[in-house]
């Protein structure tokens, strides 16, 4: 499949060049050109800073979420590859101050290994930083083993809620505890309908018959629960919602915040249909869907498919989720 790049060697840096040229909210960091930071930083001695390192190829996450009310920095790795520990350390040093930092780590092996090593190196240099491991994909480990699960698009709840709380001045320890609580209240399940194409190989990342859907596909094409026959999306959405609520029950009368995320090759027409079916499936159980986020934010090139994430929020979480922010790509969230 044709891809619009200059070369494999420059594709990531060319992307960042275009990104910082286009958006006034961001700039390259001082320590390394692969670090994207807020163009106007608040005083880092007073504000806890948030950053994440991740492989490229999944945009707009995470560099598109750098800005006021969200991330202070994103450390950009190679395509589908975690940045090195040294590069993440440079990112920590770029934004760290007396108030400390939280390194968000989406739970995938490379991110966990390199993020953990970077935190140890930072602590040896006297930098105050804590790693927050994020996981929400119910297809990747069974109930009761949540800590073994992969990070999935539901981690965006953590980005936004912690970003808003940090912007208001919440201190490191309560901010970290809030992140754990959001993580524990979040569940995600995905369905893929067609493969993405790797920018490195030009080849499809997996194969799937035209009459099947892959339930539980990870952001790198990792296997999940299994295959389902293709049919009306209402049935697929009910299957996903049932699985999410079985994993973490929500009582009738409660409300959940919802993310419907496209994988990169799914149209907004389809995603809005999926959200409508999600709202109906929840309402059948007496559960209200509030403050939705609908669009393609965690992508795998042109992979076709979507994920549904639900958060059972406290009033505090919901307020932070809907707080204003100023980033290139994170949408405005409203409760109604």
């Amino acid at each position: 499949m044709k891809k619009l790049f200059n070369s494999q060697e420059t594709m990531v840096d060319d992307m960042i060049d275009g990104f910082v040229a286009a958006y006034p909210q961001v700039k390259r960091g001082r320590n390394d050109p692969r670090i994207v930071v807020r163009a106007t930083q608040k005083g880092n001695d007073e504000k806890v800073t948030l950053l994440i390192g991740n492989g490229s190829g999944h945009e707009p996450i995470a560099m598109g979420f750098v800005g006021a009310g969200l991330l202070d920095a994103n450390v950009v790795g190679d395509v589908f590859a975690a940045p090195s520990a040294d590069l993440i350390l440079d990112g920590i040093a770029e934004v760290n101050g007396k108030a400390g930092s939280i390194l968000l780590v989406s739970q995938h092996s490379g991110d966990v290994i390199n993020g953990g090593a970077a935190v140890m190196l930072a602590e040896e240099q006297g930098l105050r930083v804590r790693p927050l491991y994020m996981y929400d994909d119910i297809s990747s480990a069974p109930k009761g083993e949540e800590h073994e699960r992969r990070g999935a698009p539901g981690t965006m709840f953590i980005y936004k809620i912690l970003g808003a709380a940090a912007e208001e001045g919440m201190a490191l320890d309560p901010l970290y505890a809030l992140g754990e609580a959001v993580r524990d209240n979040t569940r995600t399940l995905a369905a893929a309908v067609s493969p993405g194409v790797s920018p490195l190989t030009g080849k499809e990342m997996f194969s799937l018959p035209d009459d099947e859907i892959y339930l539980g596909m990870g952001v790198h094409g990792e296997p999940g629960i299994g295959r389902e026959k293709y049919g009306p999306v209402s049935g697929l959405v009910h299957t996903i919602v049932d699985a999410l609520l079985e994993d973490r029950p929500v009582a009738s009368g409660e409300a959940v915040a919802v993310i419907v995320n496209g994988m990169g090759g799914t149209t907004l027409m389809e995603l809005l249909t999926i959200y409508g079916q999600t709202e109906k499936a929840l309402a059948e159980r007496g559960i209200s869907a509030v403050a939705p986020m609908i669009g393609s934010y965690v992508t795998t090139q042109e992979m076709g498919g979507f994920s549904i994430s639900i958060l059972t929020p406290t009033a505090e979480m919901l307020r932070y989720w809907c707080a204003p922010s100023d980033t290139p790509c994170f949408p405005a969230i409203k409760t109604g």
Side-chain angles (χ1 to χ4, degrees), residues 261-266 296 298-305:
N261 178 74
M263 295 178 173
T266 307
S296 296
V298 185
T299 66
T300 307
Q301 299 298 293
E302 55 279 90
M303 185 184 292

Side-chain angles (χ1 to χ4, degrees), residues 3 5 8 11 57 79-80 197-203 205 301:
K3 293 276 193 176
F5 299 116
Q8 288 188 8
M11 63 172 64
V79 175
F80 302 158
V197 175
S198 169
L200 301 177
T201 66
K203 296 179 180 179
M205 298 172 66
Q301 299 298 293

Side-chain angles (χ1 to χ4, degrees), residues 16-40:
I16 298 173
D17 284 343
F19 182 68
V20 298
Y23 297 109
Q25 300 99 321
V26 295
K27 63 182 181 180
R28 287 186 187 266
R30 300 181 306 274
N31 293 339
D32 192 283
R34 287 286 187 92
I35 302 168
V36 176
V37 299
R38 287 173 59 166
T40 54

Side-chain angles (χ1 to χ4, degrees), residues 2-135:
K2 297 181 180 72
K3 293 276 193 176
L4 299 174
F5 299 116
N6 291 317
S7 70
Q8 288 188 8
E9 292 74 23
T10 66
M11 63 172 64
V12 175
D13 295 298
D14 290 346
M15 173 187 68
I16 298 173
D17 284 343
F19 182 68
V20 298
Y23 297 109
Q25 300 99 321
V26 295
K27 63 182 181 180
R28 287 186 187 266
R30 300 181 306 274
N31 293 339
D32 192 283
R34 287 286 187 92
I35 302 168
V36 176
V37 299
R38 287 173 59 166
T40 54
Q41 293 280 353
K42 295 189 75 172
N44 291 347
D45 286 344
E46 292 78 37
K47 176 191 176 298
V48 177
T49 51
L50 300 175
L51 72 157
I52 188 169
N54 62 275
S56 55
H58 301 293
E59 292 72 33
I61 204 172
M63 66 183 188
F65 303 158
V66 174
L70 259 147
L71 299 177
D72 295 280
N74 175 218
V75 183
V76 183
D78 289 331
V79 175
F80 302 158
S84 68
D86 287 339
L87 183 54
I88 298 171
L89 174 63
D90 286 343
I92 295 169
E94 184 87 31
V95 298
N96 188 260
K98 291 181 181 178
S101 301
I102 292 178
L103 176 67
L104 302 176
V105 182
S106 187
Q107 192 148 285
H108 300 272
S109 58
D111 298 279
V112 170
I113 292 168
N114 293 353
V119 168
M120 288 191 292
L121 292 169
E123 290 173 340
E124 289 174 359
Q125 295 185 14
L127 303 179
R128 188 182 179 205
V129 59
R130 296 184 67 180
L132 178 62
Y133 297 99
M134 305 183 297
Y135 42 83

Side-chain angles (χ1 to χ4, degrees), residues 24-327:
Q25 300 99 321
V26 295
K27 63 182 181 180
R28 287 186 187 266
R30 300 181 306 274
N31 293 339
D32 192 283
R34 287 286 187 92
I35 302 168
V36 176
V37 299
R38 287 173 59 166
T40 54
Q41 293 280 353
K42 295 189 75 172
N44 291 347
D45 286 344
E46 292 78 37
K47 176 191 176 298
V48 177
T49 51
L50 300 175
L51 72 157
I52 188 169
N54 62 275
S56 55
H58 301 293
E59 292 72 33
I61 204 172
M63 66 183 188
F65 303 158
V66 174
L70 259 147
L71 299 177
D72 295 280
N74 175 218
V75 183
V76 183
D78 289 331
V79 175
F80 302 158
S84 68
D86 287 339
L87 183 54
I88 298 171
L89 174 63
D90 286 343
I92 295 169
E94 184 87 31
V95 298
N96 188 260
K98 291 181 181 178
S101 301
I102 292 178
L103 176 67
L104 302 176
V105 182
S106 187
Q107 192 148 285
H108 300 272
S109 58
D111 298 279
V112 170
I113 292 168
N114 293 353
V119 168
M120 288 191 292
L121 292 169
E123 290 173 340
E124 289 174 359
Q125 295 185 14
L127 303 179
R128 188 182 179 205
V129 59
R130 296 184 67 180
L132 178 62
Y133 297 99
M134 305 183 297
Y135 42 83
D136 56 307
D137 181 358
I138 68 170
S139 74
S140 53
K143 186 174 181 178
E145 298 181 19
E146 287 82 1
H147 62 286
E148 299 291 341
R149 291 175 171 173
R150 295 186 296 248
T155 60
M156 291 188 288
F157 286 124
I158 298 176
Y159 289 38
K160 179 61 170 62
I161 291 169
L162 265 61
E167 201 75 21
E168 287 190 1
M170 185 177 287
L172 182 62
D173 288 344
L175 191 65
Y176 189 88
L178 176 61
E180 290 183 311
V182 174
R183 178 190 66 200
D184 294 345
N185 285 2
T186 300
R187 299 293 188 273
T188 297
L189 184 58
V193 299
S194 62
V197 175
S198 169
L200 301 177
T201 66
K203 296 179 180 179
E204 293 184 344
M205 298 172 66
F206 59 89
S207 61
L208 188 66
D210 289 342
D211 64 343
E212 291 185 355
I213 290 171
Y214 213 127
L215 192 61
M217 179 68 70
V219 296
H220 302 104
E222 304 97 330
I225 295 172
R227 295 179 177 182
E228 299 272 335
K229 285 297 182 182
Y230 172 76
V233 74
S234 58
L236 178 59
V237 168
H238 269 84
T239 296
I240 291 175
V241 169
D242 287 347
L244 294 172
L245 296 177
E246 181 179 355
D247 195 89
R248 190 189 184 284
V250 178
S252 177
E254 289 197 68
V256 295
V258 177
I259 297 173
V260 173
N261 178 74
M263 295 178 173
T266 307
T267 65
L268 184 58
M269 182 181 188
E270 293 167 288
L271 296 177
L272 290 170
T273 300
I274 290 162
Y275 176 72
Q277 295 299 317
T278 301
E279 186 180 49
K280 288 179 182 178
L282 290 167
E284 289 171 6
R285 293 170 171 264
I287 300 167
S288 301
V290 298
M293 178 177 177
I294 305 162
S296 296
Y297 298 103
V298 185
T299 66
T300 307
Q301 299 298 293
E302 55 279 90
M303 185 184 292
F306 68 96
S307 60
I308 299 173
S309 304
I310 59 173
L311 163 69
T312 309
T314 64
E316 177 188 49
M317 291 175 188
L318 189 59
R319 181 175 72 83
Y320 287 136
W321 176 238
C322 297
S325 60
D326 184 15
T327 74

